[in-house]
Amino acid sequence: MSQTLIRFQTYDDPPPPSATTARVAAIRAKLAEAGFSGVIIPRGDAHMGEYVAPHDERLSWATGFTGSAGMAIVMTDRAAVFIDGRYTLQVRDQVDLSIFSPQHLIDEPPSQWLAAHVKPGDRIAYDPWLHTPGGLEPIERAITVAGAKLIAVETSPVDAAWIDQPAPPLAPVVPHPLEIAGEAAADKRARIAATLGDADAAVLTLPESIAWLLNIRGGDVGHVPLPHSFAVLHKNATVDLYLDSRKVTDGLAAHLGNAVRLRAPDEFGPGLDELNGKTVLADPANAAVWVFKRLEAAGAKIRKGADPVLLPKAQKNEAEIAGVRAAHIRDGAALTRFLKWVTEEGTAGRISEIQACEKLEDFRRETGALKDLSFDSISGSGPNGAIVHYRVTQKTDRKLRSGELFLIDSGGQYMDATTDVTRTVALGTPTAEMKDRFTRVLKGHIALATARFPAGTTGAQLDTLARAPLWAAGLDYDHGTGHGVGAYLSVHEGPQSISKKPIAQPLLPGMICSNEPGYYKTGGYGIRIENLVVIHEIAIEGAERKTMEFETVTLAPIDVDLIEPALLNADERAWLNAYHQRVRDTLTPLVDPDTATWLTTATRAV
Amino acid sequence: MSQTLIRFQTYDDPPPPSATTARVAAIRAKLAEAGFSGVIIPRGDAHMGEYVAPHDERLSWATGFTGSAGMAIVMTDRAAVFIDGRYTLQVRDQVDLSIFSPQHLIDEPPSQWLAAHVKPGDRIAYDPWLHTPGGLEPIERAITVAGAKLIAVETSPVDAAWIDQPAPPLAPVVPHPLEIAGEAAADKRARIAATLGDADAAVLTLPESIAWLLNIRGGDVGHVPLPHSFAVLHKNATVDLYLDSRKVTDGLAAHLGNAVRLRAPDEFGPGLDELNGKTVLADPANAAVWVFKRLEAAGAKIRKGADPVLLPKAQKNEAEIAGVRAAHIRDGAALTRFLKWVTEEGTAGRISEIQACEKLEDFRRETGALKDLSFDSISGSGPNGAIVHYRVTQKTDRKLRSGELFLIDSGGQYMDATTDVTRTVALGTPTAEMKDRFTRVLKGHIALATARFPAGTTGAQLDTLARAPLWAAGLDYDHGTGHGVGAYLSVHEGPQSISKKPIAQPLLPGMICSNEPGYYKTGGYGIRIENLVVIHEIAIEGAERKTMEFETVTLAPIDVDLIEPALLNADERAWLNAYHQRVRDTLTPLVDPDTATWLTTATRAV
């Protein structure tokens, strides 16, 4: 019997601007009932994650806009939707402009719009579960200055109006094996509890933090194996875990042990009340306003500080790094099969962007280890490759053609690691300009891959190395060079980052980052070369400083047909040839003979 | 008749720890008279400059410590002197440790020491002319938390106790010629006044800002051609200039014109009172607490913001840049004569560090254009070269010896520019390690000199380029890579900087920076290669971003005997050979035949 394949990625067009007239009317009716002049509708949930469950898609329900970041404000007499530069076109396709005025999230922020439109005495509603104190602050200031009031509500007018709001997700929660995690949850609890200083407890609201701390995984949102839950870590290393009992699987309680008290989600509030008189650490960048209000009302002494799990989670242990290496070999073999296929079929004009995505998902599934994609693949041919956050849909789907470039940014979730890799391939013969640009991107990639740096160095300090070859030609790219990556967790994790932003977090041994410089010619083509790297401390003879370097773990050929060898110096050529030899030696045993033959050519020395 | 040469640099040993017992006793008597428990004694004057007049050397008078940065606190029962890492040894030589406990200015700051030692009810005196609001804030907070009070005094107990305090300086103030300044003071006044926005006036307290704005120069402190004064720039582009009339030279009033009202320094307070009801810009990073208190008392609306002259002053105009180029040719010829001499005499063991300084001063004087040195030369042979802020004295003076390195960091003040250059020369045959280190420093220097970067890039983003070749060997240097430089003004000027510190100021066309990576082996040798660079916007074919690059203006040979050619790539070799050819072509006509012959060898291609 054939079984229908449930794909991890879908290609639906964003819904057209339907039905929001009735929805906005319903929201306004609820506003009127409660005497509010407006309501703030962020895109997000109580866990501040990048992916949200259908239950939390309030922004797209109210506005039609389905982008991955944004906010709306519905007032009785007007409404606005706030989006960033990525979505200026999409918002106009999806949103009824007779209802919503589109605004730029950064240049015309909600606080500014509210300052212009609220009247003295206005009461503006917000859901305290959906905002952090840091995020809410400018909005609150603007409203207060205008003589109006920002009111936290128990049930948002949006949820009240949303009759058929999907239920919260209830994906099963399972133990994450010790041999993969590399450290028992009890040891993690004790280790983190010891860092709390004079705090009696820490409130954890980030699902990644809780999943890592307790060695559990779930599936409440797409692409990230996370269970939604809240937790309080006490200084005696015990934990209150607020998790819906319907998500608990056999053996989970035994895995968690007696030191972890499983409690119902609606006990989270009473649980915080129990911290009366205690000093409690909470992260104003990640925890909801609701948490701070409840702690305050409970009489807890709030210590604002970073989630204590963030940094330990970012520094992977030896078992995690071993998993990362193993997953990248498996993933690299699948990607290599794909690269051969896409180069041949794409040059022949026989496939589209969606077909490419589906084939790549197939190759990854054939490893037998794929749990999910790490994110929706970015599959851009020709001009679509120049759209940095492109997500192909039925409507935008485009045939791959000879003479063009094809960019594919994708990743897999495996039990032992999360991968994220971008390759750009020439279909047919590339132009001299394409080769010049690709080679500059490659030079930047190599400069970062081979960098050594002393303890204390931040990603912001290294970012320049990846850009300098493009800068030399008056070019640049408008995204970060690298983000942190989780281990069978979120493909984007902090606190490290490699970008122009002066983020003060030093790079530390065990951290995983992406190395992904790019170049984008609007209307022409996009180029990005992305590998993941792991940071290690190294011994150098004569060294006077504790020094670190990157180990590149991603394994897949970089298109040599796109390289202009005259632009590479001897060191760069040596790095590329050694990398390709490693790719060939490692992956050849794992692929079919045709792919092995192709790989030999694809990884030839330059 | 021979005339005694007055040297710009002296080599006196720091005074021994004499006489401070009586001085501290006198301060304590004044504290007792006024009912104070202590007094804060910063190193600085009302203008927050790097160099201070003898009148303002309160710290060295009270403690014996003569370093260029520091602070002391004298309480009735104890006293401390705060110094940074440069001065941990010197402070023990100069300060009576039975009176003063030495503390680290950053790691054990005055605020922390005060928090531990003040008692509730204590009254601690400070001179509001000698602190900025930003500098005073942590001290005030610590004292307040302890239940004590920080009291601004009109006459500090230190000045009251200092019977023979030298008078404030009265150096003549002269016009700075328009052909050198490149922009008339009237145009500058109008240009800056137009940037004040809704402020009615700006208070200027930095002597460099006032000197640049009004095209005047003076000589109230060593090495920087500045007159001490205060000024208020009004939005109608007129200025109140508070300047001692004894410093006014013939023709100054005519130069300043009717729009600049010359007023006596003691009218500065009443002048601020006149700003009652006005919106007044003042810089909390640079203006004294006194200014803010007076403006507040006067009923002015204070707008805190950066001194509006800082940025326009930093962006040199074409005339200033022409002057910078001319001065560097002149200065480079003098330095080249010196480098020949010091290499020969130093290798022969015939000279000392002081003799080297004096000879270099002589060569610069012989240009006929030298107004002053830009700073006390750093002349370090062998291990003394590894002391980053070394200043040679009779006691530390050391013979140059074959087999060692000699580092000389120096500069001249000329009417048309301020220079600052460092060269490191091998005396005799250098070791392989010396060559390795020197070549890595050179690679970093070249990487920065040849960098191109888009508009918006900060010095912090470029700093890494200069360090990467050292980092690759596990090495680094513990100082910034580059500082801003004035035009016949201070050798250190903001707001730009090239360093690890994430200073947000983008690099802008016309700014002058130093490019000075180094390497220091404690007890062994020091290496630094410093040229000044000017930032220019450039046109690149196919460029998509507004792009800038550096023009190296310093001209003097870089010791090729210290280079390990195998460590340089083709681009680096090409840069060095082209630079040396430019040095040779430009300077040969300006030096004697012997030096020309030496220069030909010194600048040979590698």
Side-chain angles (χ1 to χ4, degrees):
Chain A
M1 290 265 296
S2 82
Q3 207 183 332
T4 308
L5 181 71
I6 299 171
R7 290 210 168 266
F8 293 126
Q9 183 163 355
T10 58
Y11 308 94
D12 304 332
D13 288 303
S18 69
T20 60
T21 308
R23 292 173 182 179
V24 172
I27 293 170
R28 283 182 171 147
K30 295 293 173 190
L31 289 177
E33 272 175 33
F36 289 117
S37 308
V39 59
I40 299 167
I41 312 171
R43 195 247 178 213
D45 61 22
H47 306 279
M48 310 300 156
E50 190 175 348
Y51 293 89
V52 299
H55 171 76
D56 291 303
E57 291 281 12
R58 293 171 188 85
L59 181 65
S60 76
W61 177 80
T63 66
F65 171 67
T66 57
S68 66
M71 183 177 276
I73 300 173
V74 174
M75 294 182 67
T76 46
D77 58 344
R78 65 187 74 232
V81 59
F82 301 85
I83 43 84
D84 64 37
R86 290 173 285 173
Y87 294 118
T88 45
L89 296 179
Q90 182 176 326
V91 77
R92 293 178 173 275
D93 285 342
Q94 295 191 286
V95 168
D96 183 343
L97 300 179
S98 74
I99 302 177
F100 288 96
S101 133
Q103 308 280 324
H104 192 287
L105 195 57
I106 310 302
D107 301 341
E108 312 160 296
S111 55
Q112 193 179 307
W113 189 87
L114 279 164
H117 297 299
V118 294
K119 291 181 293 293
D122 275 358
R123 297 169 71 245
I124 307 293
Y126 79 100
D127 185 337
W129 279 109
L130 305 181
H131 298 265
T132 62
L136 198 64
E137 204 216 333
I139 293 175
E140 180 152 34
R141 206 180 321 122
I143 289 178
T144 307
V145 166
K149 268 195 178 150
L150 189 63
I151 312 276
V153 290
E154 205 164 318
T155 302
S156 153
V158 181
D159 290 28
W162 192 358
I163 306 295
D164 53 350
Q165 182 176 22
L170 288 172
V173 179
V174 297
H176 189 53
L178 177 59
E179 61 271 25
I180 295 176
E183 184 178 8
D187 295 333
K188 290 182 178 178
R189 284 189 279 103
R191 181 154 73 96
I192 310 300
T195 68
L196 295 184
D198 59 353
D200 298 299
V203 180
L204 305 178
T205 63
L206 290 174
E208 301 94 315
S209 292
I210 298 168
W212 178 88
L213 180 68
L214 301 178
N215 287 342
I216 57 176
R217 295 295 187 270
D220 284 337
V221 295
H223 299 330
V224 194
L226 293 173
H228 279 166
S229 67
F230 295 99
V232 174
L233 170 66
H234 299 273
K235 72 172 170 191
N236 67 359
T238 66
V239 165
D240 293 304
L241 176 62
Y242 300 93
L243 180 73
D244 194 303
S245 60
R246 291 170 289 179
K247 301 202 277 193
V248 174
T249 56
D250 287 352
L252 187 72
H255 165 78
L256 292 171
N258 291 334
V260 179
R261 289 171 292 277
L262 267 170
R263 303 176 68 173
D266 60 9
E267 281 183 57
F268 184 40
L272 295 185
D273 296 342
E274 292 160 17
L275 298 172
N276 162 278
K278 301 279 175 70
T279 299
V280 182
L281 177 66
D283 187 341
N286 291 307
V289 168
W290 187 93
V291 170
F292 289 90
K293 283 184 177 283
R294 186 80 182 215
L295 284 172
E296 221 171 273
K301 291 184 210 98
I302 300 175
R303 164 129 333 143
K304 292 188 179 178
D307 177 336
V309 172
L310 286 182
L311 205 51
K313 171 165 68 69
Q315 290 193 263
K316 274 70 181 171
N317 60 41
E318 277 310 314
E320 288 171 316
I321 293 171
V324 165
R325 290 191 187 114
H328 277 88
I329 293 171
R330 184 188 313 132
D331 195 65
L335 184 61
T336 297
R337 293 177 65 196
F338 170 77
L339 291 171
K340 169 185 184 291
W341 176 87
V342 82
T343 304
E344 292 170 356
E345 299 298 311
T347 304
R350 285 193 289 260
I351 53 169
S352 74
E353 294 166 346
I354 289 178
Q355 287 170 307
C357 283
E358 291 187 333
K359 191 73 175 181
L360 177 54
E361 189 173 321
D362 289 345
F363 283 129
R364 282 204 165 100
R365 276 176 192 277
E366 286 169 29
T367 64
L370 188 72
K371 294 286 185 178
D372 197 342
L373 302 182
S374 324
F375 54 95
D376 285 336
S377 299
I378 296 171
S379 170
S381 76
N384 285 346
I387 303 166
V388 173
H389 292 91
Y390 178 63
R391 182 181 156 275
V392 55
T393 69
Q394 301 293 350
K395 206 160 107 187
T396 65
D397 193 22
R398 194 174 176 283
K399 205 158 234 179
L400 278 58
R401 294 189 191 117
S402 181
E404 294 188 345
L405 299 187
F406 173 67
L407 181 155
I408 181 103
D409 185 350
S410 69
Q413 288 284 10
Y414 304 93
M415 288 273 285
D416 45 5
T418 302
T419 71
D420 184 1
V421 51
T422 309
R423 287 295 182 268
T424 306
V425 296
L427 306 175
T429 307
T431 66
E433 184 194 86
M434 289 170 179
K435 292 172 75 169
D436 176 89
R437 303 306 189 244
F438 185 87
T439 309
R440 288 179 187 280
V441 172
L442 177 61
K443 286 168 77 78
H445 181 94
I446 295 172
L448 190 59
T450 57
R452 290 173 166 182
F453 49 92
T457 302
T458 67
Q461 288 180 266
L462 299 185
D463 176 77
T464 302
L465 299 174
R467 296 180 192 272
L470 286 161
W471 286 358
L475 311 171
D476 201 359
Y477 50 93
D478 291 326
H479 58 72
T481 300
H483 54 81
V485 178
Y488 192 41
L489 281 173
S490 178
V491 74
H492 292 150
E493 79 168 21
Q496 76 274 27
S497 132
I498 302 174
S499 85
K500 290 183 179 182
K501 286 184 209 142
I503 291 170
Q505 174 63 51
L507 298 176
L508 298 173
M511 285 179 168
I512 301 178
C513 289
S514 66
N515 169 6
E516 49 177 316
Y519 169 78
Y520 309 93
K521 180 161 182 154
T522 305
Y525 54 88
I527 292 167
R528 188 159 63 249
I529 304 172
E530 177 186 23
N531 285 341
L532 298 193
V533 295
V534 181
I535 300 171
H536 296 287
E537 194 181 333
I538 49 162
I540 305 173
E541 205 192 312
E544 296 168 359
R545 315 278 170 131
K546 182 173 158 177
T547 297
M548 284 169 274
E549 69 176 7
F550 296 118
E551 171 196 359
T552 293
V553 289
T554 303
L555 295 171
I558 293 167
D559 193 347
V560 291
D561 290 332
L562 270 169
I563 293 171
E564 174 47 61
L567 280 177
L568 295 180
N569 66 33
D571 290 341
E572 290 161 344
R573 261 194 298 276
W575 182 88
L576 182 70
N577 292 337
Y579 175 71
H580 269 155
Q581 176 162 351
R582 193 175 138 222
V583 168
R584 188 168 63 243
D585 293 350
T586 311
L587 301 185
T588 297
L590 302 178
V591 296
D592 56 279
D594 276 1
T595 301
T597 305
W598 177 84
L599 183 58
T600 303
T601 307
T603 56
R604 68 189 181 276
V606 296
Chain B
M1 289 266 298
S2 82
Q3 208 184 331
T4 309
L5 182 70
I6 300 170
R7 291 212 167 265
F8 293 128
Q9 183 163 357
T10 59
Y11 306 93
D12 304 331
D13 289 302
S18 69
T20 60
T21 309
R23 291 173 182 179
V24 172
I27 293 170
R28 284 181 171 147
K30 295 292 173 189
L31 290 177
E33 269 174 36
F36 289 117
S37 307
V39 60
I40 299 167
I41 312 171
R43 196 250 178 210
D45 61 23
H47 306 278
M48 309 300 156
E50 190 175 348
Y51 292 89
V52 300
H55 171 76
D56 291 303
E57 292 280 13
R58 291 171 189 86
L59 181 65
S60 75
W61 177 80
T63 66
F65 172 67
T66 57
S68 66
M71 183 177 276
I73 300 173
V74 174
M75 293 183 68
T76 45
D77 58 343
R78 67 186 73 229
V81 59
F82 301 84
I83 43 84
D84 64 37
R86 290 174 285 174
Y87 294 118
T88 44
L89 297 179
Q90 181 175 327
V91 76
R92 292 177 174 275
D93 285 341
Q94 295 191 286
V95 168
D96 182 343
L97 300 178
S98 73
I99 302 177
F100 288 96
S101 132
Q103 308 280 324
H104 193 287
L105 194 57
I106 310 303
D107 302 339
E108 313 159 295
S111 55
Q112 191 178 309
W113 189 87
L114 279 165
H117 296 300
V118 294
K119 291 181 293 293
D122 274 358
R123 298 169 72 243
I124 307 293
Y126 79 100
D127 185 337
W129 279 108
L130 306 181
H131 298 264
T132 63
L136 198 64
E137 204 216 333
I139 292 175
E140 181 152 33
R141 204 180 322 121
I143 289 178
T144 308
V145 165
K149 268 197 178 147
L150 189 64
I151 312 277
V153 290
E154 203 163 318
T155 302
S156 151
V158 180
D159 290 28
W162 192 357
I163 305 295
D164 53 349
Q165 183 176 21
L170 287 171
V173 179
V174 297
H176 189 54
L178 177 59
E179 62 271 23
I180 295 176
E183 184 178 10
D187 296 333
K188 290 182 178 179
R189 283 189 279 104
R191 181 155 73 96
I192 310 300
T195 67
L196 295 184
D198 60 352
D200 299 299
V203 181
L204 305 178
T205 63
L206 290 174
E208 300 94 314
S209 292
I210 299 168
W212 179 88
L213 180 68
L214 301 178
N215 287 342
I216 57 175
R217 294 295 187 269
D220 283 338
V221 296
H223 299 328
V224 194
L226 294 173
H228 279 166
S229 67
F230 295 100
V232 174
L233 170 66
H234 299 273
K235 71 172 169 190
N236 66 0
T238 66
V239 165
D240 294 304
L241 175 62
Y242 299 93
L243 179 73
D244 194 303
S245 61
R246 289 170 290 179
K247 302 202 275 192
V248 174
T249 56
D250 287 351
L252 187 72
H255 165 78
L256 292 171
N258 291 334
V260 179
R261 288 170 294 277
L262 267 169
R263 302 176 69 173
D266 60 9
E267 281 183 56
F268 183 41
L272 295 184
D273 296 343
E274 292 159 17
L275 299 172
N276 163 276
K278 302 281 175 69
T279 299
V280 182
L281 177 66
D283 187 342
N286 290 307
V289 168
W290 188 93
V291 170
F292 289 89
K293 283 184 177 282
R294 186 80 180 216
L295 285 171
E296 222 171 273
K301 292 185 210 99
I302 300 174
R303 166 129 333 144
K304 291 185 179 182
D307 177 335
V309 172
L310 286 181
L311 206 50
K313 171 165 68 69
Q315 290 193 262
K316 274 70 181 171
N317 60 41
E318 278 309 314
E320 288 171 316
I321 293 172
V324 164
R325 291 190 186 114
H328 277 88
I329 294 171
R330 186 190 311 132
D331 195 64
L335 184 61
T336 298
R337 292 178 65 197
F338 169 77
L339 290 172
K340 169 185 184 291
W341 176 87
V342 82
T343 305
E344 293 170 356
E345 299 298 312
T347 305
R350 283 193 291 259
I351 53 170
S352 74
E353 293 166 345
I354 290 179
Q355 286 171 308
C357 283
E358 292 188 333
K359 190 73 176 182
L360 178 54
E361 189 174 322
D362 289 344
F363 283 129
R364 282 203 165 100
R365 278 175 191 275
E366 286 169 28
T367 64
L370 188 72
K371 293 287 187 179
D372 197 342
L373 302 181
S374 324
F375 54 94
D376 285 334
S377 300
I378 295 171
S379 169
S381 76
N384 285 346
I387 303 166
V388 173
H389 292 91
Y390 178 64
R391 181 181 158 275
V392 55
T393 69
Q394 300 294 349
K395 206 160 109 187
T396 66
D397 192 22
R398 193 174 175 283
K399 204 158 236 178
L400 278 58
R401 296 190 190 115
S402 182
E404 295 188 343
L405 300 187
F406 172 67
L407 181 156
I408 182 104
D409 185 350
S410 69
Q413 288 283 10
Y414 304 94
M415 288 273 285
D416 45 6
T418 303
T419 71
D420 184 1
V421 49
T422 309
R423 287 295 181 268
T424 306
V425 296
L427 306 174
T429 308
T431 65
E433 183 193 88
M434 289 171 179
K435 291 171 76 170
D436 176 271
R437 302 307 189 243
F438 184 87
T439 309
R440 289 179 186 278
V441 172
L442 177 61
K443 286 169 77 79
H445 181 95
I446 295 171
L448 190 60
T450 57
R452 289 172 167 183
F453 50 91
T457 302
T458 66
Q461 288 179 265
L462 300 185
D463 176 77
T464 302
L465 299 174
R467 297 183 193 272
L470 286 162
W471 286 357
L475 312 171
D476 200 358
Y477 51 95
D478 291 326
H479 59 72
T481 300
H483 54 82
V485 179
Y488 191 40
L489 280 173
S490 178
V491 74
H492 293 149
E493 79 169 21
Q496 76 273 27
S497 130
I498 302 174
S499 85
K500 290 184 180 181
K501 285 184 208 141
I503 292 170
Q505 174 63 51
L507 298 176
L508 298 171
M511 284 178 168
I512 302 177
C513 289
S514 66
N515 169 4
E516 49 177 317
Y519 168 77
Y520 309 91
K521 181 162 181 152
T522 305
Y525 54 87
I527 291 167
R528 188 157 66 247
I529 304 172
E530 177 186 24
N531 285 341
L532 298 192
V533 295
V534 181
I535 300 171
H536 297 285
E537 194 181 332
I538 49 162
I540 305 173
E541 207 191 311
E544 296 169 358
R545 314 278 170 132
K546 182 174 160 178
T547 297
M548 284 169 273
E549 68 176 9
F550 296 118
E551 171 197 359
T552 293
V553 289
T554 303
L555 295 171
I558 292 168
D559 193 347
V560 290
D561 290 331
L562 270 169
I563 293 171
E564 174 47 61
L567 280 177
L568 295 180
N569 66 33
D571 289 342
E572 290 162 343
R573 261 195 298 275
W575 181 88
L576 182 70
N577 292 337
Y579 175 71
H580 269 155
Q581 176 162 351
R582 191 173 140 224
V583 168
R584 189 167 62 242
D585 292 351
T586 310
L587 300 185
T588 297
L590 302 179
V591 296
D592 56 281
D594 275 3
T595 301
T597 305
W598 178 85
L599 183 58
T600 304
T601 307
T603 57
R604 67 190 181 275
V606 294

